[in-house]
Amino acid sequence: MIQKKKLNQFYIEQYERAGRKKPKKPVKEAGMQARTAKIQKTLRSARPGQINIRTLEELHRQLKNMASYAYRRNKEELLKSLNEEMLPRLMELDLGMLLTEQKEGLNGEFLAWVRRTMPCAICQEPMFTLYPKFRQYKVKNKILELVPARPEMEFAEVRELARHFILHIGPTNSGKTFQALERLRQAKNGTYLGPLRLLALEVYEQMHGAGVPCTMRTGQECIEEENSRVTASTIEMADFDENYDIAVIDEAQLVADTDRGHSWTKAILGLRAEEIHICMSPAAEQVVCHLIQLCDDTFEVRRYERKTELVCEDRPFAFPDDVQEGDALIAFSKKSVLDVAGRLEEAGIASSVIYGSLPPEIRRRQTRMFNEGMTKVAVATDAIGMGLNLPVRRIVFMQTDKFDGVSRRPLRIPEVKQIAGRAGRFGIYDKGCVSALGERELEYIRTLYRADEEPLTEVNLGFPQVLLDIDAPLDELMKIWYSVTPSEPFVKENIDEALYLYEQAKRYKNQIDGFENKHLIYKMITCPIDIKDRRVVMLWLDYCRTYTADVSLEKPAFYRDRKGGIAQYETYYKQLDLYYQFSRRMQKELDEEWLAKQREKTEMRIMSYLTRGKQNYIARCKYCGRLLPLGSPFQVCDDCFGKR
Ligand SMILES: Nc1ncnc2c1ncn2[C@@H]1O[C@H](COP(=O)(O)OP(=O)(O)OP(=O)(O)O)[C@@H](O)[C@H]1O
């Protein structure tokens, strides 16, 4: 820490500077003596570290008024008391509010920074608020120093390689991935990176089918195979230390996704591969080409057309009378999906259901039942839109708006194209159809499906882990990093969930071993969990607090809730996933056999809910029991509501 004498000098000099300036309003002489006495009394009686921050702020401002009065009217005696008694006391009170490490940070650089960028700020606010601003400035500078202004330079060594990109560009169902995978089969050491575990699994199975030894690696599991020539992974599991001859990056239009897009950006900028195939919709062409040009790599473009025709039906869909084999009915929440599936069941139609929070294995089984014709119809959320290949003849939009985590909004062009494009799978149907429930809705879907997709203008950037070595708390680092605007077309990843988990962990920081180790905490808070599920977050917190207690983590216990229905099993499945992921991240021993058994048991329970008893999920008025309109946010019908 700086010598107190120097700090005192600084206060005197800053108050003199402020005092000699012409004030906006002249300081009144009347009552000055009484005011001075009052300030002196407050200064003397206040205890460092115990004074209220508002009182301290007020003292800073009162003393500024006093300095103005004393300097402009040459009040020698008052100046003497100000400089020799009041300001040294103010300084002590200021110091009393700081933590030890903050006091240590008060140095010549800090004083120079205040003089340069915020002259006389000390006459308005205490150190308690001024010092953190200096810290932020320092951290920001450090960030700018450590993070290259050009994101591609984060992989300086990869910039030395000659990489060639082959861009497969076309709408859904045009065979882009098929062609890229044909090439991947020839790889000596290749990788496939896709958005879903199910796609990684599809590739793993295809490679096996073609006699290519393949390993599968996702956040939930790893199936290692000796002498593998290909690794099929979710994009988050990309390995940046491995040298590949051929890599495939699928669904690269997700590069703009606010939560996960940074993983695609990182893969494009940082993958060590001689030949990289990127499959994407036309909307992403511009930004992806831009990234490749930034890297100074070469590329060629291969364009694709849909392999089957896609037509929008003339008349709206009537539910359930118009349901036919090969239909996929799309709704935008799990509740609506189960509601639709329940109504189908009531009408004697068996369906497969697919939505995001279903365990991957169940999604796979449900998909397989549809693929093999055991169920004639699929009911799905937009989870179906991400490259999954299903024998769908017709896509029916049961809803045309969705809740996106913030508000309910109408579907957008890329969403409609991506989902509708699933209809008419090549090799099974020679054309696909699209329909919607309701005249207006069908018109909306028709218009959006025909509209040109706007080119993407943004590319998502992730938090660079080199910053973890900067001397500042993790949340401060992340927030400051987020506040620095990157060059176009880059935008920063959404850090809300990580910050939320950090806040949760911080409440128990005294119980978390190594909380001060940012690398460790970062690993914990970036563990991909469903933060909306309270039980999952609670288990995560438990793991943070107890991970050093034993060689392995405590296994999650199933919590039975009579009214819990399918959700309690889904929650337990997420807890099992967390047990796996946290163990892996913290290098804990894992009881794989137990985990596999629990997963299987839970999957069976979920399956049994989905194969019978879906009628329990039909949305009915809680008073009269009548069917509610699909997707209704209420639990009461209009009639009953009117009567009350
Ligand atoms: N040349 C081909 N021969 C046989 N089957 C093909 C061929 N091209 C594509 N297919 C099949 O058509 C379906 C769609 O192909 P693919 O998944 O490659 O499309 P895509 O353009 O990548 O679509 P998406 O963007 O939705 O992933 C797949 O089942 C695939 O196996």
Side-chain angles (χ1 to χ4, degrees):
M1 185 191 145
I2 195 165
Q3 288 170 348
K4 279 200 181 165
K5 205 169 134 202
K6 275 202 176 153
L7 192 58
N8 198 9
Q9 279 291 312
F10 168 77
Y11 274 68
I12 295 172
E13 155 222 306
Q14 293 285 297
Y15 270 87
E16 177 173 357
R17 193 169 163 181
R20 290 195 187 283
K21 264 197 216 155
K22 194 170 174 214
K24 284 186 191 129
K25 274 195 290 182
V27 182
K28 280 190 225 146
E29 183 152 15
M32 183 47 88
Q33 232 176 348
R35 263 183 283 153
T36 306
K38 198 170 159 201
I39 294 170
Q40 280 172 327
K41 192 173 161 212
T42 314
L43 280 168
R44 273 186 214 127
S45 61
R47 295 274 148 265
Q50 290 171 11
I51 186 170
N52 177 306
I53 187 72
R54 293 250 159 76
T55 314
L56 192 56
E57 270 172 9
E58 191 51 31
L59 278 172
H60 277 252
R61 285 191 288 265
Q62 292 280 351
L63 287 184
K64 184 183 162 207
N65 284 345
M66 188 184 289
S68 182
Y69 171 78
Y71 278 107
R72 295 188 66 83
R73 298 186 192 208
N74 286 324
K75 301 286 179 189
E76 293 285 333
E77 215 171 303
L78 185 56
L79 280 175
K80 192 166 179 314
S81 158
L82 178 73
N83 292 340
E84 290 177 10
E85 187 203 339
M86 290 188 261
L87 288 179
R89 185 69 192 152
L90 183 71
M91 179 188 84
E92 289 298 343
L93 293 177
D94 267 358
L95 289 176
M97 299 296 285
L98 299 185
L99 300 171
T100 315
E101 67 261 26
Q102 289 178 315
K103 279 187 215 158
E104 276 160 15
L106 294 178
N107 52 19
E109 192 189 349
F110 166 70
L111 301 188
W113 175 78
V114 180
R115 286 187 183 107
R116 192 175 66 244
T117 57
M118 307 184 74
C120 304
I122 194 68
C123 313
Q124 300 278 3
E125 59 180 311
M127 286 287 188
F128 182 74
T129 53
L130 193 54
Y131 181 74
K133 291 179 188 164
F134 170 65
R135 287 276 317 163
Q136 283 200 4
Y137 153 82
K138 290 260 293 177
V139 172
K140 200 164 181 169
N141 271 358
K142 196 81 195 148
I143 288 176
L144 292 174
E145 191 185 301
L146 283 178
V147 181
R150 292 164 46 200
E152 71 278 11
M153 291 319 290
E154 201 185 314
F155 301 94
E157 285 173 25
V158 181
R159 297 292 70 83
E160 308 286 312
L161 307 176
R163 302 186 308 165
H164 183 65
F165 286 79
I166 295 147
L167 309 182
H168 302 266
I169 303 176
T172 48
N173 246 330
S174 55
K176 308 180 293 285
T177 315
F178 180 89
Q179 294 299 342
L181 292 180
E182 285 285 293
R183 180 70 185 129
L184 186 62
R185 285 188 197 183
Q186 329 277 315
K188 291 192 204 78
N189 183 25
T191 186
Y192 166 88
L193 302 169
L196 296 178
R197 179 216 177 254
L198 282 190
L199 284 174
L201 186 67
E202 216 176 274
V203 172
Y204 168 81
E205 285 174 345
Q206 267 190 37
M207 290 294 153
H208 267 259
V212 179
C214 180
T215 283
M216 185 178 101
R217 209 168 287 142
T218 73
Q220 285 113 344
E221 83 220 279
C222 181
I223 312 175
E224 289 279 356
E225 188 162 312
E226 263 185 52
N227 306 322
S228 279
R229 284 204 282 120
V230 170
T231 310
S233 309
T234 38
I235 190 110
E236 281 80 5
M237 305 298 286
D239 186 341
F240 293 92
D241 298 321
E242 187 72 43
N243 287 306
Y244 299 106
D245 56 342
I246 303 174
V248 174
I249 303 175
D250 206 0
E251 306 288 341
Q253 66 280 0
L254 288 169
V255 77
D257 186 86
T258 47
D259 296 316
R260 296 181 64 200
H262 59 95
S263 300
W264 274 266
T265 311
K266 193 169 170 190
I268 295 170
L269 300 181
L271 217 52
R272 296 167 161 274
E274 291 159 29
E275 181 179 315
I276 304 180
H277 293 255
I278 298 189
C279 309
M280 61 186 165
S281 73
E285 176 172 353
Q286 222 166 296
V287 284
V288 168
C289 289
H290 179 74
L291 288 182
I292 299 170
Q293 280 157 350
L294 287 180
C295 297
D296 226 358
D297 291 320
T298 54
F299 69 90
E300 64 187 80
V301 174
R302 297 189 191 159
R303 292 187 196 280
Y304 295 77
E305 294 298 331
R306 257 190 79 89
K307 293 206 155 293
T308 54
E309 190 194 359
L310 186 68
V311 290
C312 206
E313 294 191 337
D314 296 332
R315 75 185 173 84
F317 180 80
F319 181 80
D321 302 351
D322 283 349
V323 175
Q324 290 170 12
E325 183 167 352
D327 278 348
L329 311 184
I330 311 297
F332 292 96
S333 69
K334 167 183 155 183
K335 202 168 140 231
S336 305
V337 164
L338 289 172
D339 183 0
V340 172
R343 292 178 201 221
L344 284 173
E345 190 176 273
E346 205 171 53
I349 304 167
S351 63
S352 285
V353 296
I354 301 164
Y355 53 84
S357 63
L358 272 186
E361 186 50 37
I362 299 296
R363 271 198 262 176
R364 182 168 166 226
R365 286 198 216 170
Q366 293 283 315
T367 309
R368 186 170 279 171
M369 280 162 65
F370 184 63
N371 281 341
E372 291 172 1
M374 284 146 72
T375 51
K376 308 285 178 220
V377 182
V379 190
T381 59
D382 42 353
I384 201 178
M386 264 192 229
L388 277 184
N389 284 311
L390 292 170
V392 176
R393 191 187 69 81
R394 174 169 63 173
I395 288 281
V396 181
F397 287 86
M398 303 297 283
Q399 294 168 326
T400 52
D401 53 8
K402 68 180 262 187
F403 181 73
D404 63 4
V406 182
S407 59
R408 257 202 117 67
R409 59 159 178 83
L411 293 177
R412 297 185 178 134
I413 297 171
E415 288 163 345
V416 170
K417 285 191 183 261
Q418 196 70 24
I419 297 168
R422 303 275 130 217
R425 179 166 163 189
F426 177 65
I428 298 180
Y429 300 106
D430 45 14
K431 81 171 184 186
C433 301
V434 186
S435 190
L437 196 66
E439 190 91 49
R440 238 176 348 140
E441 286 74 8
L442 181 58
E443 193 47 43
Y444 182 73
I445 294 295
R446 183 178 292 123
T447 313
L448 263 64
Y449 187 72
R450 287 187 184 151
D452 283 333
E453 212 173 323
E454 294 274 324
L456 298 179
T457 52
E458 290 179 349
V459 171
N460 208 257
L461 258 191
F463 178 77
Q465 293 188 31
V466 284
L467 302 187
L468 296 176
D469 294 323
I470 296 180
D471 178 22
L474 182 54
D475 53 342
E476 190 181 323
L477 262 179
M478 293 182 83
K479 285 181 201 164
I480 298 177
W481 167 78
Y482 190 79
S483 72
V484 181
T485 313
S487 58
E488 276 183 15
F490 295 102
V491 291
K492 305 269 171 88
E493 74 165 304
N494 184 348
I495 52 171
D496 292 350
E497 290 202 355
L499 286 178
Y500 170 79
L501 290 180
Y502 183 82
E503 280 309 311
Q504 298 298 314
K506 199 170 153 190
R507 287 168 40 209
Y508 298 94
K509 64 178 181 186
N510 296 333
Q511 297 171 26
I512 298 177
D513 276 342
F515 185 82
E516 56 298 328
N517 177 346
K518 288 196 284 290
H519 287 270
L520 184 103
I521 296 295
Y522 187 75
K523 247 198 248 175
M524 291 179 178
I525 64 171
T526 50
C527 201
I529 64 166
D530 179 359
I531 63 160
K532 288 193 248 42
D533 196 325
R534 199 174 52 87
R535 285 192 192 288
V536 178
V537 176
M538 272 161 53
L539 181 68
W540 174 85
L541 255 180
D542 269 355
Y543 284 163
C544 293
R545 289 153 63 192
T546 59
Y547 76 102
T548 46
D550 205 341
V551 288
S552 57
L553 299 174
E554 195 164 328
K555 292 168 188 154
F558 177 67
Y559 178 84
R560 191 177 301 283
D561 175 357
R562 273 166 187 259
K563 291 189 189 153
I566 193 171
Q568 60 190 326
Y569 294 100
E570 288 172 2
T571 294
Y572 185 54
Y573 202 90
K574 288 183 232 167
Q575 292 182 320
L576 294 173
D577 278 349
L578 174 59
Y579 166 72
Y580 176 86
Q581 301 212 34
F582 212 98
S583 301
R584 278 282 150 116
R585 279 176 186 234
M586 296 297 155
Q587 276 104 39
K588 309 303 288 183
E589 278 176 19
L590 188 66
D591 188 342
E592 303 235 21
E593 206 177 307
W594 174 86
L595 181 63
K597 268 197 200 130
Q598 290 300 310
R599 275 183 169 156
E600 201 179 322
K601 254 170 48 187
T602 318
E603 282 158 6
M604 302 245 288
R605 298 308 297 252
I606 295 174
M607 258 324 253
S608 72
Y609 269 93
L610 295 181
T611 34
R612 59 181 162 73
K614 285 196 282 269
Q615 290 173 46
N616 299 334
Y617 294 97
I618 299 177
R620 294 181 192 278
C621 171
K622 70 175 183 183
Y623 297 117
C624 68
R626 243 179 296 174
L627 280 183
L628 290 172
L630 275 176
S632 167
F634 309 112
Q635 293 182 359
V636 181
C637 69
D638 286 350
D639 280 357
C640 292
F641 186 72
K643 282 183 207 150
R644 271 156 201 274

